[in-house]
Amino acid sequence: MQVKRYRLENWEWFQLLEEADIQEVSLEKGPLINSWFRDIKGNRSNYLHIDTSEEDQEILSGSLIYHREIDKKEDYEIFHFFLSRDTLITYDYKDNSLHIDRNNLIKEIKHAQTPIEGFMVILGKVMTDILYHIDAYEQQLEQLIWDVKQRNSIKTLDKVYQSRHELLVWKNVMIPFLEIRYSLEEAFGEEITKGKVYARVTKRIERGLILVEEYQKELNNLVNFEEVVSQHRGNEIMKTLTVFTTICTPIMAWGALWGMNFEIMPELKWKFGYVFSLAVIIGSTVVVYFYLKSRGWMGDLLKARKKNSFFR
């Protein structure tokens, strides 16, 4: 298979997909390519290496996870890169996203003045795909905000935490892009930041991270809100049970007293003993009820719940 090679004005891009391609490129670019491949071969995690030992021959290389499935830990795509002042090599990078136009990608890379700008074009396209997913997430979050009010339940709380996890995954994918941005400046100097492509992609990375941070704040507010509601309802249940037990205490006390089997119990022979016992039970219960109410301990427990209310 022939190596995909793009000869541009001042630099070259090798888009490699097979291990055999590495050997072909190393024959032209030297043993440094083989050394790089040994470092990244079999690597399945983000990795970054900077070599500034020789002036004007700096190298930035590594591996980058650029696509990940939210629900499957081991389902992700990673590509490896080698970047110098005149060469960009990508290995196993497949611009197969539905939201990346391959023709536009090649066109933009051909307009890049340096391999650094070309690499930033690739990062920018990947970030565009990530932002597409985050836009879809925004709609999901908006629906969740209203579900918390209209259909709040354990199921809704589970959705909140699922969304929280999804957001953490997207943030985990984007943070290495920020590290690469700073590594480019560290390796090649601040002069690379003056280009339009670099500035554009940098803003795109920052935009993605800012969106994630803001969505995290919204989710944290939802979680705090759910905790307040749950705590209030838990307190309400305990309050209800306490009030109910207190109100029923006279019934249980008098019932226990008159349920005793002593031989001498004058009340058993009274003509109106049954009516008297009912009156005592009801009267003492009413006294306890109004005492609790006068102390303000009844609260809103006896009021009907209102539709779309969080606490009533």
Side-chain angles (χ1 to χ4, degrees):
M1 182 177 179
Q2 188 175 4
V3 173
K4 287 186 178 180
R5 177 176 188 164
Y6 301 91
R7 295 182 183 274
L8 306 171
E9 185 177 351
N10 301 311
W11 61 284
E12 293 179 302
W13 174 30
F14 296 87
Q15 189 177 14
L16 311 182
L17 298 175
E18 304 285 344
E19 185 172 340
D21 297 339
I22 299 290
Q23 302 302 323
E24 186 175 339
V25 174
S26 66
L27 292 176
E28 179 180 342
K29 295 295 181 179
L32 193 61
I33 303 302
N34 285 327
S35 176
W36 161 68
F37 185 69
R38 284 194 299 270
D39 289 339
I40 56 93
K41 186 178 180 180
N43 182 47
R44 298 297 299 168
S45 61
N46 289 309
Y47 164 74
L48 202 59
H49 175 71
I50 300 175
D51 183 356
T52 57
S53 57
E54 295 187 39
E55 189 70 24
D56 294 328
Q57 295 186 23
E58 299 88 352
I59 295 172
L60 178 67
S61 61
S63 308
L64 177 66
I65 294 174
Y66 65 104
H67 178 76
R68 181 185 286 276
E69 291 296 328
I70 297 300
D71 299 324
K72 300 176 182 178
K73 179 182 177 182
E74 302 301 329
D75 193 355
Y76 61 89
E77 294 182 61
I78 186 171
F79 81 94
H80 315 282
F81 58 90
F82 176 95
L83 182 62
S84 66
R85 290 189 178 273
D86 59 5
T87 304
L88 169 61
I89 302 174
T90 58
Y91 176 66
D92 214 19
Y93 171 68
K94 308 177 187 70
D95 47 341
N96 55 1
S97 170
L98 295 176
H99 317 293
I100 295 180
D101 187 325
R102 174 173 172 77
N103 292 328
N104 284 341
L105 174 63
I106 301 300
K107 183 178 179 181
E108 287 189 40
I109 286 183
K110 286 182 177 179
H111 287 152
Q113 299 299 310
T114 65
I116 299 162
E117 286 191 354
F119 185 56
M120 290 298 285
V121 169
I122 294 175
L123 295 185
K125 291 298 181 182
V126 176
M127 278 300 305
T128 298
D129 188 53
I130 294 174
L131 288 170
Y132 176 88
H133 288 90
I134 291 178
D135 287 341
Y137 175 85
E138 181 180 4
Q139 299 175 7
Q140 172 187 326
L141 181 59
E142 182 180 0
Q143 181 61 43
L144 187 59
I145 290 172
W146 288 102
D147 284 347
V148 167
K149 181 176 183 181
Q150 296 171 351
R151 293 187 293 272
N152 201 14
S153 62
I154 293 296
K155 186 177 180 180
T156 302
L157 183 61
D158 183 66
K159 288 182 179 178
V160 171
Y161 277 90
Q162 289 288 349
S163 295
R164 205 176 190 183
H165 173 263
E166 182 176 344
L167 203 60
L168 286 173
V169 172
W170 287 122
K171 187 173 183 178
N172 181 257
V173 171
M174 283 191 288
I175 286 176
F177 286 76
L178 188 63
E179 183 184 7
I180 288 175
R181 172 207 159 183
Y182 287 114
S183 297
L184 287 170
E185 295 181 33
E186 180 182 347
F188 301 105
E190 293 186 0
E191 65 272 11
I192 67 168
T193 66
K194 299 175 182 178
K196 184 182 294 185
V197 174
Y198 183 90
R200 183 186 299 120
V201 176
T202 294
K203 288 297 181 183
R204 197 171 300 169
I205 294 172
E206 291 176 352
R207 175 159 62 95
L209 288 169
I210 289 173
L211 282 174
V212 168
E213 291 290 343
E214 293 303 316
Y215 291 152
Q216 274 190 319
K217 291 178 183 178
E218 288 191 32
L219 279 173
N220 288 339
N221 288 336
L222 278 180
V223 171
N224 293 336
F225 169 80
E226 288 282 46
E227 290 176 351
V228 170
V229 172
S230 298
Q231 185 178 10
H232 172 82
R233 290 180 179 173
N235 291 340
E236 185 183 53
I237 291 171
M238 293 304 299
K239 184 179 179 182
T240 301
L241 293 174
T242 301
V243 169
F244 182 78
T245 302
T246 304
I247 290 177
C248 291
T249 296
I251 301 174
M252 294 184 290
W254 291 113
L257 176 64
W258 284 317
M260 295 177 182
N261 295 319
F262 291 115
E263 188 173 332
I264 301 177
M265 293 188 69
E267 299 93 327
L268 297 177
K269 299 182 182 295
W270 291 358
K271 182 178 180 179
F272 299 102
Y274 182 69
V275 175
F276 173 77
S277 65
L278 288 177
V280 171
I281 290 173
I282 293 172
S284 57
T285 300
V286 169
V287 169
V288 170
Y289 170 80
F290 280 105
Y291 174 76
L292 293 176
K293 189 172 183 179
S294 68
R295 300 286 294 181
W297 295 343
M298 298 301 290
D300 297 323
L301 294 177
L302 301 182
K303 290 185 179 181
R305 291 185 178 276
K306 294 183 178 181
K307 186 178 181 181
N308 284 334
S309 174
F310 295 118
F311 299 104
R312 291 186 290 174

